[in-house]
Amino acid sequence: MTSTRQKFSRYAPLWATVALYLVVRGILLGGVASIAARQGVSWYEIGLSAITLTGAYLWKLLWPSHLSAFYVFHKSSHLYDRGVLLGLLGIFLCVVLFVLLWRHVRVMSFALVMLFLPLAPVLNARWMSASVFAERYLYVPSIGFCWLLAWAAVSLWRSQEPIFMRSLSRAVPVLLFAIAFPYGVKTVMRNRDWRSEEVLFRKTLEQGDASLIRNNLGAIYFNRSDYDGAEQEWLEALAAGPENVFALDNLAMLRHRQKRYAESLEYSERALRARRSFVMAHLNLADTLADMDASRRLTGNSGLRPPFLLSPRAHIIVMGNFCTSLSAWMTPKPSSSAL
């Protein structure tokens, strides 16, 4: 049996590396995440939402239906919310299962550790991107789930007592086939939705309107020079999410392209009011002002600060973008939200 000293000598360098990484990341980015995407959500609501997300992930593992490239996040504010209660139930059952496995088949308790440990970092909605809940976050945790499922199937196949388990064990291959075959067919059918971004985004919108998805669809149209289609999607994105900074910035860029400068400045102002540190909005605003030959507005009554008055970290990003485009002015591109 491995002694504590041996374990420490093996794993101490790894934990020291992780600690050093977190310290350096905190110094450079100001924290584990560079920005808090949802500053209006309290830590109490973050905790409740984490419980809800845990329950949702467990259910998605057990019943992977109604798959989507994007899920709209709704925070949990009360302990008696349905999602919170279901999440608590799922966590309780997993704790019971862990205790039973620890007592009888200790090595299999590690499967639950493999399930929850990789999942823990994405349960904090405050530092997540637009996709707070996403199926791709289950890729690594599903290893632990599949390991547990395979162990259960093999244990059932080998069981001899009580007598009725002998007959039941013979049904294991049939049961596995009955589960694997339809999901295999569904996987092949789902692949058709991923043949292009436009098809994927349209398929996602069929399951429910999402402001960020419409913004990304508009960016596809814009890159094709279909400005009417882009405008329609971005306006609908704003109707669904009035604080969508990506759609606001994209409409500002579109109005600039259409020489409708007053509207462009209005959209830029709204985008920067919603997110003052949005670098692309500052760059697109500067491009618009350069075309207007109206640099005086940078210190006028618009309430907007030029890029060099951003926070130090954003200032470095802005300067980098400007330095890489000294030979030719940066061609504005639509802002797409990271899903």
Side-chain angles (χ1 to χ4, degrees):
M1 185 173 181
T2 307
S3 65
T4 303
R5 184 174 182 177
Q6 289 176 314
K7 291 179 180 178
F8 181 80
S9 63
R10 290 176 182 177
Y11 298 113
L14 297 177
W15 290 113
T17 302
V18 171
L20 179 61
Y21 166 77
L22 292 176
V23 170
V24 173
R25 183 180 178 90
I27 293 174
L28 295 179
L29 299 180
V32 177
S34 58
I35 59 173
R38 293 166 187 83
Q39 297 181 357
V41 183
S42 68
W43 285 110
Y44 178 71
E45 292 171 330
I46 291 294
L48 293 180
S49 298
I51 297 174
T52 300
L53 289 171
T54 301
Y57 281 122
L58 291 174
W59 179 247
K60 189 64 71 174
L61 283 172
L62 291 171
W63 193 256
S65 61
H66 303 292
L67 304 179
S68 177
F70 182 78
Y71 296 86
V72 178
F73 170 69
H74 300 287
K75 66 179 181 181
S76 299
S77 302
H78 305 286
L79 186 60
Y80 48 82
D81 287 349
R82 177 175 177 271
V84 177
L85 295 177
L86 291 176
L88 288 172
L89 176 61
I91 293 172
F92 172 76
L93 293 177
C94 287
V95 170
V96 172
L97 179 59
F98 179 84
V99 172
L100 292 175
L101 290 173
W102 181 263
R103 290 179 177 178
H104 301 286
V105 193
R106 181 164 298 186
V107 68
M108 288 309 305
S109 62
F110 187 66
L112 286 172
V113 176
M114 289 187 64
L115 194 161
F116 283 99
L117 192 61
L119 196 60
V122 300
L123 297 179
N124 186 345
R126 182 177 289 243
W127 65 28
M128 293 303 296
S129 63
S131 294
V132 177
F133 179 88
E135 297 152 11
R136 61 182 180 273
Y137 302 152
L138 282 174
Y139 289 167
V140 177
S142 65
I143 296 175
F145 176 77
C146 291
W147 182 16
L148 197 61
L149 197 63
W151 170 81
V154 171
S155 298
L156 182 59
W157 172 257
R158 293 175 176 175
S159 61
Q160 297 296 324
E161 299 294 339
I163 298 177
F164 73 89
M165 292 296 293
R166 298 179 184 178
S167 301
L168 186 61
S169 65
R170 303 286 82 85
V172 170
V174 177
L175 180 62
L176 292 177
F177 177 81
I179 296 175
F181 181 76
Y183 276 116
V185 173
K186 189 173 182 180
T187 299
V188 174
M189 295 176 61
R190 175 65 171 167
N191 287 339
R192 296 181 300 178
D193 299 336
W194 289 82
R195 62 181 181 269
S196 70
E197 287 187 334
E198 181 179 358
V199 173
L200 178 62
F201 292 156
R202 288 193 172 280
K203 190 70 176 180
T204 302
L205 288 173
E206 290 178 4
Q207 302 180 24
D209 199 2
S211 178
L212 293 175
I213 293 295
R214 287 204 175 277
N215 171 76
N216 291 358
L217 186 58
I220 293 176
Y221 292 149
F222 184 91
N223 292 331
R224 293 179 185 170
S225 299
D226 182 1
Y227 300 136
D228 292 336
E231 180 178 7
Q232 179 181 349
E233 294 298 335
W234 288 337
L235 288 175
E236 290 188 21
L238 274 188
E243 297 298 316
N244 186 335
V245 295
F246 303 103
L248 288 168
D249 181 50
N250 288 337
L251 283 168
M253 181 185 57
L254 179 63
R255 294 295 183 248
H256 171 204
R257 183 70 62 92
Q258 296 169 338
K259 308 299 182 182
R260 295 159 64 174
Y261 295 119
E263 294 180 46
S264 177
L265 293 177
E266 181 182 350
Y267 280 122
S268 290
E269 185 172 2
R270 289 175 60 186
L272 292 173
R273 281 178 179 172
R275 186 182 296 181
R276 180 67 70 176
S277 60
F278 189 18
V279 175
M280 286 306 303
H282 281 276
L283 292 174
N284 286 329
L285 172 61
D287 192 31
T288 300
L289 292 172
D291 273 6
M292 294 175 63
D293 193 26
S295 58
R296 59 180 176 81
R297 294 182 62 92
L298 288 173
T299 55
N301 296 323
S302 64
L304 303 177
R305 294 188 293 178
F308 51 79
L309 291 181
L310 287 170
S311 65
R313 292 189 301 277
H315 168 66
I316 295 174
I317 299 173
V318 173
M319 290 301 296
N321 282 326
F322 274 116
C323 289
T324 56
S325 58
L326 285 177
S327 58
W329 183 255
M330 179 183 293
T331 302
K333 296 181 181 179
S335 302
S336 297
S337 58
L339 299 182

